[in-house]
Amino acid sequence: MATYNRLNPEDTAVSTDKVVSNTWSDNTNILQDNFTSSAQTAISTATSQGNFFIEVFSSASNQGTDPIEGEGPTQYTLSYGHKAGSGSLNFTATAGALGNTATKCIYRQYAQLVYGDENSNFVFDGYEATDIWVINIARGRYKHALKAGSLNLKLDNATNIDFFTDDSITQTGSAVTTNLGRQFNLVSGSDGVMSGSKLTQTSHFASLGGIDSGSFGFVYPEAGLIIFNGAALRKRTAAYWTEGSSAATQNLAGSMFSAIQRGASFELDSEERVSSQYMFVRIKNSEFNYSSNPSYIDTNGNLNNTTMADSPTTYITTVGLYNDDNNLLAVAKLSQPLKKDFTTEALVRVKLDY
């Protein structure tokens, strides 16, 4: 019959470690090649997929401008949102329904996710933004969260080159807590360190009486989201980062894609928390010196091997973990058999990761 020993509280310990891994396919943390498909970027109708989002892949059979549709796993998606619905066609021309467009859906969708209210507007360092660009990292590309401080994104719009990161290192890990988890600021800089000392890193809007354009955006590590403030981008290159026009068909998500593709450097790490429970199985000298194997004794309960009567010896190979009903829950195998008799004691540490 098997022998059961209950583990006491002092026999267990729990630890949690952070494990960092690469985000992108092919086990790399710097994405250099970015491709879309012509079918997904089509915006010919109000409900075309390209008006809502475009998927970006890391590979294509032709490393040129016309990649094969859908080749390779999705790395991230790109979207453009406008709070008034500009930048895409109205879903319907029915009176009272004008302004309901794909870009308005995008803006209100992400407002709902962040603020819990679709009627809220994005405010970046005091500036209420009319439009946003969104990078949504594919859920399968990261574990529990994106690693704060690992973002290094290069945008090249053919006029200016900008480098973006989050400000987690500058803020020493301090973040605003939202419905999507931690919120860091998207800033000009690298490796989690903001360039300069001011969160708004662009000049004033002279046309608006010197009003700031606000910060560049927000980063949400747990949700895998990077949200850009359109006004701040326009302060860098107004002719490139154009705001959506009313009831017009514009490939504005494609503008972000082109800037990322030309930049050819999107660095990002994934992070997960791995909890480990340690159980210390203490084997005293008087315990487990006889085998529970049925062949160990005969039908009368006598030892089949009489030499075991005076100096019993066993070899421990397995530790079983049971619940209170003696149901086996987990098995731990030793790397090699452990010799056990009345003159020895042992301590076996069992590690359970989850």
Side-chain angles (χ1 to χ4, degrees):
M1 179 179 291
T3 301
Y4 301 97
N5 282 359
R6 178 176 290 277
L7 291 173
N8 297 314
E10 61 269 22
D11 297 324
T12 62
V14 177
S15 70
T16 301
D17 299 311
K18 289 184 179 180
V19 178
V20 178
S21 58
N22 294 323
T23 299
W24 311 119
S25 295
D26 300 324
N27 197 30
T28 180
N29 72 334
I30 301 180
L31 184 63
Q32 296 179 313
D33 298 320
N34 299 264
F35 301 95
T36 63
S37 76
S38 58
Q40 291 185 352
T41 55
I43 55 174
S44 57
T45 67
T47 57
S48 296
Q49 177 182 315
N51 287 318
F52 293 91
F53 67 91
I54 57 176
E55 292 180 296
V56 180
F57 308 97
S58 62
S59 64
S61 58
N62 175 16
Q63 300 291 305
T65 58
D66 298 313
I68 291 179
E69 177 181 353
E71 180 165 329
T74 302
Q75 305 300 301
Y76 58 91
T77 62
L78 296 171
S79 300
Y80 174 80
H82 194 287
K83 72 177 183 180
S86 298
S88 59
L89 297 173
N90 293 308
F91 293 141
T92 176
T94 303
L98 297 178
N100 290 322
T101 69
T103 59
K104 187 174 183 178
C105 287
I106 293 298
Y107 190 99
R108 295 306 173 192
Q109 173 192 5
Y110 284 102
Q112 172 70 37
L113 290 173
V114 174
Y115 302 111
D117 180 4
E118 65 176 16
N119 294 315
S120 296
N121 296 322
F122 283 95
V123 178
F124 301 98
D125 195 25
Y127 179 83
E128 186 174 295
T130 57
D131 62 336
I132 57 173
W133 272 272
V134 181
I135 301 176
N136 194 334
I137 309 301
R139 188 61 189 88
R141 299 265 55 85
Y142 63 97
K143 303 296 184 180
H144 290 168
L146 304 177
K147 184 179 184 297
S150 69
L151 172 63
N152 287 290
L153 174 60
K154 178 182 178 182
L155 296 185
D156 182 353
N157 59 43
T159 300
N160 291 316
I161 296 177
D162 296 292
F163 297 89
F164 294 99
T165 187
D166 60 72
D167 66 345
S168 58
I169 303 300
T170 299
Q171 298 295 331
T172 62
S174 178
V176 175
T177 301
T178 70
N179 292 334
L180 293 181
R182 294 172 297 165
Q183 172 187 284
F184 292 105
N185 294 297
L186 180 67
V187 296
S188 175
S190 62
D191 298 321
V193 179
M194 179 177 70
S195 298
S197 58
K198 292 184 178 181
L199 186 56
T200 294
Q201 298 170 295
T202 57
S203 57
H204 298 300
F205 271 125
S207 60
L208 297 178
I211 297 176
D212 284 328
S213 62
S215 61
F216 280 113
F218 296 134
V219 179
Y220 301 91
E222 279 73 27
L225 289 179
I226 304 170
I227 299 180
F228 281 87
N229 172 12
L233 289 176
R234 278 189 290 280
K235 287 305 296 179
R236 290 291 299 138
T237 314
Y240 185 86
W241 301 106
T242 57
E243 183 178 348
S245 300
S246 178
T249 300
Q250 297 172 276
N251 183 18
L252 295 172
S255 299
M256 178 62 72
F257 169 72
S258 297
I260 295 175
Q261 187 180 50
R262 278 192 292 263
S265 183
F266 193 167
E267 181 178 0
L268 197 58
D269 286 331
S270 169
E271 177 181 83
E272 68 176 321
R273 294 179 181 272
V274 177
S275 295
S276 300
Q277 182 169 8
Y278 295 93
M279 286 148 283
F280 298 92
V281 180
R282 308 175 197 280
I283 306 169
K284 297 181 179 180
N285 71 304
S286 60
E287 297 175 328
F288 302 102
N289 295 312
Y290 295 94
S291 175
S292 58
N293 192 311
S295 64
Y296 200 68
I297 57 176
D298 59 24
T299 56
N300 297 319
N302 298 316
L303 293 171
N304 283 323
N305 190 339
T306 56
T307 59
M308 298 292 290
D310 295 327
S311 57
T313 302
T314 59
Y315 290 87
I316 299 173
T317 60
T318 306
V319 176
L321 301 178
Y322 296 79
N323 62 12
D324 289 338
D325 296 323
N326 291 338
N327 295 318
L328 182 62
L329 303 179
V331 173
K333 293 287 187 179
L334 276 66
S335 59
Q336 61 184 28
L338 178 64
K339 184 178 179 181
K340 179 68 180 67
D341 57 31
F342 278 102
T343 66
T344 59
E345 292 190 345
L347 174 62
V348 178
R349 188 185 73 166
V350 179
K351 181 184 179 184
L352 181 63
D353 291 332
Y354 56 92

